[in-house]
Amino acid sequence: MGAIPGWLPILAERINWGCSTSPWFVDLADESKIIKRGRRVMLDLWPYIKDLPVNISAVRQAVPESMTAATKLLSRLADDERTYQRLFTQQFVLAERLTMEEAESEPTHERTQKLCQTMAEMCQRRDFVDGCHAIVAAELVATIYGRTSIPHYERYFEKHSDEYTQQEIDDGLEWLRLHAKTHTRHAIWMTKMLRDIGSDFGNEIPEGALAILNCFLRVWECPAEPNVSQFVKTLQH
């Protein structure tokens, strides 16, 4: 697969830290709060998810034709058929049977607005390199979020299977299960894309990735982070 940039494991460690300190994930571990928190998660993330295909498509159009790995990865993630988006909205039925009308009419929280604005800035108005880095961060967030949250949801719905049909449960958990999986082909394309754009192999997270990370940590309502050197030390031990 080739070497990965040195900042990528640090980015992953910081996302994991966010999951461990966010009240979102504390609530997901509490059976009495998981459904209400799940509904809030859907409402907070839907504006971002709705805009994501347009943002990724903008980067795909901007990358040079010679970057074949980037084109392959971005074409898969751009979700032209809105498959991933449909899987995301399938979760609504498990979130107190949230409707699309309710999701669309919900005022967007300022933290989510900042995330949406930053993603659009990096993908549509910056150099394609910033867009690629932003997308890498967003994909890593989705993977770690899925892996962190899916065990809580699966335990809950196994205990409360009489309240939903099995089809509703399977459909509702499909987005999380998909993102929690290891997608080897995607990882290979991503590594090649980062090499092609000349990503630094040091510890400094690129601007595009850092901006998206910081937005997600705010959306997750995380406390102030430790110094980045502590994340480096964690990876060294």
Side-chain angles (χ1 to χ4, degrees):
M1 188 182 299
I4 63 172
W7 55 266
L8 204 54
I10 297 171
L11 175 63
E13 186 64 27
R14 292 177 71 177
I15 296 169
N16 278 310
W17 172 86
C19 292
S20 71
T21 60
S22 166
W24 279 30
F25 299 92
V26 173
D27 286 353
L28 293 180
D30 185 336
E31 186 175 327
S32 68
K33 298 179 180 179
I34 187 172
I35 296 301
K36 286 192 178 298
R37 173 56 71 178
R39 182 184 177 91
R40 189 69 253 166
V41 168
M42 295 299 99
L43 291 170
D44 283 348
L45 291 185
W46 171 238
Y48 163 77
I49 294 293
K50 183 170 62 174
D51 291 348
L52 198 55
V54 172
N55 286 323
I56 296 176
S57 293
V59 180
R60 178 181 59 185
Q61 292 171 8
V63 298
E65 291 184 5
S66 59
M67 290 178 53
T68 56
T71 300
K72 289 177 182 178
L73 177 65
L74 298 173
S75 293
R76 184 67 59 89
L77 299 179
D79 199 20
D80 292 333
E81 303 299 323
R82 300 301 188 264
T83 301
Y84 297 146
Q85 200 170 93
R86 175 180 54 79
L87 295 182
F88 183 87
T89 60
Q90 285 177 183
Q91 298 174 94
F92 286 7
V93 71
L94 303 181
E96 296 184 321
R97 302 194 180 276
L98 176 68
T99 67
M100 180 59 71
E101 290 74 18
E102 289 172 321
E104 290 287 349
S105 63
E106 179 76 8
T108 303
H109 195 284
E110 62 181 359
R111 290 187 293 264
T112 302
Q113 287 180 343
K114 180 63 175 177
L115 171 61
C116 293
Q117 291 166 357
T118 302
M119 194 68 180
E121 169 72 18
M122 294 299 165
C123 293
Q124 299 186 41
R125 291 181 285 280
R126 294 288 192 96
D127 185 273
F128 72 87
V129 172
D130 289 323
C132 288
H133 287 148
I135 291 167
V136 168
E139 284 301 301
L140 198 54
V141 164
T143 296
I144 295 175
Y145 167 76
R147 291 175 180 174
T148 302
S149 59
I150 192 62
H152 301 303
Y153 284 115
E154 287 183 331
R155 280 195 297 269
Y156 179 87
F157 289 110
E158 183 177 358
K159 292 179 64 174
H160 296 267
S161 58
D162 58 325
E163 300 173 23
Y164 306 86
T165 68
Q166 190 58 49
Q167 189 68 51
E168 286 176 332
I169 294 173
D170 290 340
D171 288 349
L173 296 181
E174 191 173 354
W175 188 92
L176 287 172
R177 287 170 173 162
L178 176 67
H179 284 80
K181 289 179 181 177
T182 298
H183 298 277
T184 303
R185 185 176 297 178
H186 286 193
I188 292 172
W189 289 338
M190 183 178 292
T191 301
K192 181 66 164 57
M193 177 180 75
L194 291 174
R195 287 205 307 269
D196 287 346
I197 62 178
S199 284
D200 178 47
F201 281 68
N203 293 331
E204 186 174 351
I205 298 173
E207 182 183 0
L210 183 60
I212 298 305
L213 165 69
N214 288 336
C215 284
F216 269 106
L217 294 180
R218 284 194 291 269
V219 169
W220 290 350
E221 304 170 55
C222 295
E225 282 187 276
N227 188 284
V228 69
S229 62
Q230 294 182 241
F231 292 101
V232 177
K233 290 178 182 177
T234 299
L235 292 171
Q236 292 172 339
H237 290 84

